[in-house]
C-alpha cells in the first residue's frame, strides 16, 4: 500500500551509509503543501533509492547526500526540488515533473531521465549529463558545480533533448 504523509515530516529517513531502498512500485504521497520531504538522507553517502514514486510533498521529493543513486523513480508535484543530490550521484531512468523548483539538482552521472514542467531548471548539474529529455521547464538543462568548491563548472552534455522551455534549452 502507498504511504500517505499527512504532516510536515520526512516520510522516510535513511540513517546509515550505503542504505538501499526499493519502493517495489509503491508511492510516498504527501499532502501537497507544508514542509515535508519524501525521502531525506542528505547526511548519508551511498544511499540508493529505486522503483517507486514520491509525489505531493510540500518540500523536496528526495533530499540525498553524496554518491547517491536514484533509479526508475517518478518524482512529481513536490513543492521544491524533485531530486536534490550531492556530488558523485548516479541519477538514471527517472521521470521528474511539475516540481516547484528544479527537477534534478546534483553532480555525477545524470542519464536517461525525463524532466518536464519544473518551475526552474529541469536539470541543474555537473558531471555527465547524457540522453535526457528536458521539456517545458523554465530552463531545460543548466550546468553548474553543485555542492562543490570548484571555481568553474565542469560538465559533459551529450545526446540530450530540450524543447519548449520558457527561457533556454541548454545553458553551459
Amino acid at each position: 500500500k502507498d504511504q500517505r504523509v499527512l504532516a510536515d515530516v520526512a516520510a522516510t529517513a535513511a540513517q546509515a551509509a550505503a542504505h538501499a531502498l526499493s519502493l517495489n512500485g509503491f508511492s510516498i504521497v504527501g499532502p501537497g503543501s507544508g514542509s515535508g520531504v519524501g525521502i531525506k538522507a542528505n547526511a548519508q553517502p551511498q544511499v540508493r533509492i529505486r522503483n517507486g514514486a514520491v509525489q505531493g510533498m510540500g518540500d523536496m521529493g528526495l533530499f540525498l547526500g553524496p554518491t547517491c543513486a536514484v533509479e526508475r523513480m517518478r518524482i512529481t508535484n513536490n513543492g521544491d526540488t524533485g531530486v536534490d543530490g550531492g556530488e558523485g550521484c548516479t541519477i538514471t531512468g527517472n521521470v521528474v515533473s511539475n516540481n516547484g523548483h528544479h527537477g534534478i539538482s546534483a553532480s555525477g552521472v545524470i542519464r536517461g531521465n525525463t524532466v518536464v514542467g519544473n518551475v526552474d531548471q529541469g536539470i541543474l548539474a555537473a558531471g555527465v549529463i547524457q540522453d535526457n529529455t528536458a521539456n517545458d521547464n523554465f530552463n531545460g538543462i543548466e550546468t553548474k558545480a553543485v555542492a562543490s568548491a570548484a571555481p568553474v563548472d565542469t560538465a559533459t552534455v551529450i545526446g540530450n533533448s530540450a524543447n519548449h522551455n520558457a527561457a533556454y534549452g541548454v545553458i553551459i
Side-chain angles (χ1 to χ4, degrees), residues 21 39 47-52 54 62-65 67-75 82-85 89-96 104 106 109-111 113:
L21 174 64
I39 298 174
V47 171
R48 182 178 179 190
I49 310 295
R50 64 179 184 253
N51 301 328
V54 175
L62 303 179
F63 187 22
L64 305 174
T67 60
C68 67
V70 179
E71 305 162 356
R72 298 178 303 279
M73 293 287 295
R74 295 185 63 82
I75 312 296
V83 178
D84 190 323
C89 291
T90 301
I91 301 174
T92 58
N94 304 286
V95 175
V96 184
I104 297 170
V109 177
I110 317 299
R111 181 178 290 135
N113 300 286

Side-chain angles (χ1 to χ4, degrees), residues 86 89-93 104-113 115 123-132 156 158 160:
C89 291
T90 301
I91 301 174
T92 58
I104 297 170
S105 176
S107 70
V109 177
I110 317 299
R111 181 178 290 135
N113 300 286
V115 292
I123 298 172
L124 177 64
V128 176
I129 306 165
Q130 183 176 10
D131 298 332
N132 300 287
T156 300
I158 215 171
N160 298 285

